[in-house]
Amino acid sequence: MKLNARKTRMNAIAIHAVMVPLAILWLFPVYMMFIFATMGDNAMFSHRILLLPGDQFWTNLSDLQRDVGFLRTLFNSVVVGVIYTFLSVLLTSMAGWALVNYKFFAKGTVVGIILGTMTLPFFVVVIPQFIMIARDFGLSNTWVALIVPPLFNSLGVLFMRQAFSMVPKELFDAARVEGVSEWKIYLHVGLPLVKPMLAALSIILFLHSWNNYLWPLLITNDPEMMTAPVALGSLIGNVDISWGSIMVGAALLTAPMLLVFVFLQKFFMAGITAGAVK
């Protein structure tokens, strides 16, 4: 018993000895981003490594707001991210539910097509998608253009398919015997049983929307409809680059995501590891 406890303790020490330096190596650039957000350009490019915050945060934030109206773009990102996450989780969970519980023609082919779409780089479809949305439908600079085209997420469909396949089908059959409608079974029986997976998928999809740069860049040219990543990218000019403003914007974009993961990591890890055993 003592030998096993000692072996377990030594393994834990060895793992921490490897993981702690790696964590520091990953977190140090993030820490320096927050430090640079409080400095002017001169201090930022100093030959000395400055590890303590400066006093230019509010100045940099004021410059950022003046140049691109960052608070407005931040609001746009929040609206797009929340609506996109809700609709995408709803659609992908419905698709996953159908693939698990219903039999229909060419079901295997449908699954194969969904798997195939995961191998296609976004750059393959972005130009046809842009032409269809902007030219054919005339929806550029609209909320619909920002939210609807990226809604289908093949990874989310397969994720929810795996989640529902882990739930005993006898529960659904029992509800059908009682005369419960399919819609109510999906909402009141299926979804509550896969809450950890729904939480993990919601975090993944929200991060995807929050960090999305290419599609909002292509489909919007109105400053009032820009998202925050696009606004930050517009600060990089050919001659003058406001690094202090960029660091503040990057810090404001990063901080909410760090907080979301810290407070919701229990649900995230539960959802990610749920498919490890059945």
Side-chain angles (χ1 to χ4, degrees):
M1 183 69 69
K2 291 183 178 180
L3 182 61
N4 290 336
R6 182 179 179 182
K7 185 177 180 181
T8 301
R9 184 165 57 252
M10 294 301 295
N11 289 337
I13 293 174
I15 291 174
H16 282 78
V18 174
M19 298 305 296
V20 169
L22 290 177
I24 294 174
L25 185 65
W26 181 85
L27 289 173
F28 183 73
V30 179
Y31 172 77
M32 291 306 300
M33 176 186 66
F34 285 101
I35 295 299
F36 288 154
T38 66
M39 296 180 179
D41 290 351
N42 293 333
M44 194 180 305
F45 291 101
S46 171
H47 64 281
R48 296 183 297 113
I49 299 178
L50 303 175
L51 300 177
L52 297 178
D55 58 357
Q56 298 295 310
F57 177 82
W58 295 110
T59 301
N60 292 336
L61 181 59
S62 177
D63 292 342
L64 177 63
Q65 178 62 20
R66 180 199 64 210
D67 293 339
V68 295
F70 190 71
L71 295 180
R72 171 65 184 182
T73 65
L74 201 61
F75 171 78
N76 292 344
S77 289
V78 171
V79 172
V80 171
V82 170
I83 298 177
Y84 166 81
T85 301
F86 174 78
L87 293 178
S88 189
V89 167
L90 180 63
L91 291 175
T92 54
S93 62
M94 291 171 64
W97 171 270
L99 291 174
V100 170
N101 290 283
Y102 304 139
K103 295 181 180 180
F104 51 87
F105 177 73
K107 180 178 177 180
T109 303
V110 172
V111 175
I113 292 174
I114 294 174
L115 285 170
T117 59
M118 296 178 64
T119 66
L120 289 176
F122 179 64
F123 305 102
V124 173
V125 299
V126 65
I127 298 303
Q129 182 173 284
F130 170 76
I131 293 174
M132 181 176 64
I133 298 297
R135 186 190 66 184
D136 298 340
F137 294 160
L139 292 175
S140 58
N141 295 310
T142 63
W143 295 108
V144 173
L146 285 170
I147 297 171
V148 173
L151 275 182
F152 177 79
N153 188 284
S154 55
L155 177 62
V157 173
L158 297 176
F159 192 85
M160 294 311 301
R161 174 175 176 263
Q162 176 64 20
F164 285 122
S165 67
M166 295 165 54
V167 179
K169 291 187 177 181
E170 291 77 9
L171 295 174
F172 308 140
D173 293 336
R176 293 187 181 100
V177 170
E178 294 296 328
V180 182
S181 66
E182 289 293 323
W183 183 250
K184 288 185 177 180
I185 295 175
Y186 162 72
L187 287 178
H188 301 296
V189 180
L191 292 184
L193 292 173
V194 294
K195 280 184 179 179
M197 285 71 82
L198 285 175
L201 181 61
S202 297
I203 294 173
I204 293 171
L205 292 177
F206 186 81
L207 287 174
H208 170 71
S209 175
W210 187 260
N211 295 321
N212 194 6
Y213 175 76
L214 180 58
W215 178 247
L217 175 67
L218 292 176
I219 205 63
T220 59
N221 53 27
D222 184 355
E224 293 296 317
M225 293 301 300
M226 281 185 181
T227 57
V230 176
L232 284 185
S234 67
L235 291 174
I236 301 178
N238 294 327
V239 178
D240 185 27
I241 301 177
S242 179
W243 291 109
S245 298
I246 292 175
M247 290 296 104
V248 167
L252 292 176
L253 284 175
T254 303
M257 296 302 97
L258 292 178
L259 293 175
V260 165
F261 184 78
V262 167
F263 288 107
L264 299 180
Q265 61 178 320
K266 177 177 67 175
F267 301 100
F268 182 76
M269 298 307 299
I272 292 298
T273 58
V277 294
K278 184 175 180 180

